[in-house]
Amino acid sequence: MKHLLITATASAMLLAACGDDSSTNASGNTLTRTASLFVDEEHHLIVITPDPYYENKCVLEGEALTWKNVQQRIRADSMKYEFHGDTLLFYNIDDGDTSHYGEMWVGGTAGKIYGAWTYTHCEYYNTENDTRCYDSKYHKITYNISSGKVTGTQEIYFDQYLSDINNSDFTKSNFLLELYKALSGQHYSDVWVPDIFDVYGENDQDIEYYNKTIADNGVNIIASTKRQQTFTIGDKTFTVDIKKVDVSLDGYQENRDISIDVTDGVTTCNATYIKKALNAELCKTENAALLDEDDYDHETDNNGNEYIYVDRIRMYNEDEFDMCLKGIAVQSTENDVDESTTVLYKKTSAHERGYEARFEKLLRKWAKYSK
């Protein structure tokens, strides 16, 4: 599955742990960061320590949101590293536990940690002896590791990202497949609007799962463009109209504005999803109602004081949309879907979603060094 998502590598904690300078180029955005570095070559361990820095954050105090400049607590980040031939692998260490996936870097000298290394967007899972690679066309990350210092550079090609979004066939997305399931009425389906960005590719597993979902739910496609599709399930005809998929970049966070209509010719169900990065203008108490627990981050400042901050707001009529879909769905008591392919797909997708989650977390962490 092709994931239309601006992301960056989890091990770019090296970049997040810095605070030097930033620049912008014509093709998108470029950030360059430096940090002090300790290398234990005997035990294949590196430790990155950032300089003291301040960050503007939207802080939650009781029920009030306040835009504040907070001095951040300095934490050293650690990673184990190893070489597989001319490939350098970084394993993140979190609370003393070393991750089971190693991020793969190339370009330097085999067996030598010092040098310039470029991220391949691949991960090696040492518990499974397996390598998985992900989309990489929208960003490039390079580390230059020298004695006592590491410099990280990330380039984001946002223009190319927007171009691909505008040319994507959203009717071949995970959103549509989950919509088929919901409208068939055969079983519960979680129709999550941001899944419109999960566009299926041309690999055999994607094609197999796509075709199987259509067949299992009795879908007959009558007409289809990249943003609109009419299909039948049983004796009902449905049309889905992807009215808006707008994306912009605020710092290093995505803003998203999505609107989708689904109709059976009588009733129209509209799904809206808006995600905005919080800035000084949006960090207002009246927006606190747009937050949920997933949006809260707990942090400690340099003086040891704990606080809660948020960096995005989301607006989504999920409950109303789901209820509306149930009202127009084909009512069926059959549930004879073969889950074997579904389980296989979900297992693979879980790795991809985990990868994306780590990347989004990094971007949110990185953003604090660019304000």
Side-chain angles (χ1 to χ4, degrees), residues 115-185:
W117 296 92
T118 299
Y119 185 49
T120 64
H121 298 272
C122 294
E123 294 178 344
Y124 172 71
Y125 287 75
N126 56 21
T127 56
E128 304 172 35
N129 192 26
D130 186 28
T131 299
R132 299 181 180 90
C133 296
Y134 307 89
D135 290 344
S136 60
K137 63 190 292 186
Y138 305 123
H139 52 96
K140 177 182 178 181
I141 298 175
T142 303
Y143 293 160
N144 197 315
I145 302 173
S146 59
S147 179
K149 179 181 178 180
V150 57
T151 301
T153 302
Q154 175 175 253
E155 300 174 50
I156 292 181
Y157 308 111
F158 196 69
D159 290 346
Q160 180 62 51
Y161 177 60
L162 289 180
S163 176
D164 284 358
I165 286 178
N166 291 332
N167 288 294
S168 291
D169 186 351
F170 290 117
T171 64
K172 289 185 171 60
S173 66
N174 196 52
F175 172 84
L176 261 291
L177 294 192
E178 295 301 319
L179 180 66
Y180 297 150
K181 296 176 187 178
L183 293 177
S184 74

Side-chain angles (χ1 to χ4, degrees), residues 96-339:
D97 296 324
T98 303
S99 64
H100 62 277
Y101 59 89
E103 295 153 356
M104 303 172 69
W105 299 71
V106 297
T109 303
K112 295 184 179 180
I113 186 67
Y114 300 107
W117 296 92
T118 299
Y119 185 49
T120 64
H121 298 272
C122 294
E123 294 178 344
Y124 172 71
Y125 287 75
N126 56 21
T127 56
E128 304 172 35
N129 192 26
D130 186 28
T131 299
R132 299 181 180 90
C133 296
Y134 307 89
D135 290 344
S136 60
K137 63 190 292 186
Y138 305 123
H139 52 96
K140 177 182 178 181
I141 298 175
T142 303
Y143 293 160
N144 197 315
I145 302 173
S146 59
S147 179
K149 179 181 178 180
V150 57
T151 301
T153 302
Q154 175 175 253
E155 300 174 50
I156 292 181
Y157 308 111
F158 196 69
D159 290 346
Q160 180 62 51
Y161 177 60
L162 289 180
S163 176
D164 284 358
I165 286 178
N166 291 332
N167 288 294
S168 291
D169 186 351
F170 290 117
T171 64
K172 289 185 171 60
S173 66
N174 196 52
F175 172 84
L176 261 291
L177 294 192
E178 295 301 319
L179 180 66
Y180 297 150
K181 296 176 187 178
L183 293 177
S184 74
Q186 295 189 80
H187 49 79
Y188 171 78
S189 179
D190 184 12
V191 185
W192 177 234
V193 170
D195 279 352
I196 198 73
F197 291 95
D198 292 353
V199 180
Y200 280 79
E202 298 299 324
N203 65 72
D204 291 342
Q205 183 171 305
D206 278 1
I207 294 171
E208 179 184 3
Y209 183 72
Y210 178 83
N211 291 335
K212 182 173 176 55
T213 302
I214 289 176
D216 286 343
N217 291 278
V219 177
N220 178 37
I221 298 174
I222 299 174
S224 188
T225 65
K226 290 183 178 181
R227 294 193 177 221
Q228 189 177 80
Q229 186 177 98
T230 299
F231 56 91
T232 63
I233 300 177
D235 60 356
K236 297 195 70 171
T237 300
F238 301 97
T239 296
V240 56
D241 184 7
I242 301 160
K243 301 167 70 68
K244 182 193 296 184
V245 183
D246 292 342
V247 177
S248 62
L249 198 62
D250 187 337
Y252 282 82
Q253 291 194 78
E254 272 191 36
N255 295 324
R256 293 181 173 184
D257 189 349
I258 307 169
S259 178
I260 302 173
D261 282 349
V262 180
T263 182
D264 64 351
V266 177
T267 301
T268 298
C269 304
N270 174 258
T272 58
Y273 178 89
I274 298 174
K275 182 178 77 170
K276 291 185 177 181
L278 281 173
N279 49 32
E281 181 181 353
L282 292 175
C283 182
K284 298 178 179 179
T285 300
E286 55 262 35
N287 287 328
L290 302 175
L291 304 170
D292 58 43
E293 291 185 2
D294 291 337
D295 296 311
Y296 299 157
D297 283 298
H298 295 259
E299 189 59 272
T300 304
D301 66 19
N302 197 47
N303 296 317
N305 301 312
E306 293 186 358
Y307 65 94
I308 299 173
Y309 75 96
V310 291
D311 56 16
R312 63 186 176 188
I313 54 176
R314 290 181 289 183
M315 293 160 275
Y316 178 31
N317 63 338
E318 180 177 13
D319 293 340
E320 294 86 349
F321 183 58
D322 285 346
M323 186 64 68
C324 186
L325 290 181
K326 291 177 182 178
I328 66 174
V330 175
Q331 300 305 309
S332 171
T333 58
E334 297 180 5
N335 191 10
D336 55 358
V337 178
D338 179 3
E339 294 290 338

Side-chain angles (χ1 to χ4, degrees), residues 42-58:
E42 179 181 357
H43 298 97
H44 282 203
L45 173 72
I46 63 175
V47 180
I48 306 97
T49 305
D51 296 329
Y53 66 96
Y54 284 83
E55 177 189 357
N56 289 320
K57 286 188 173 182
C58 187

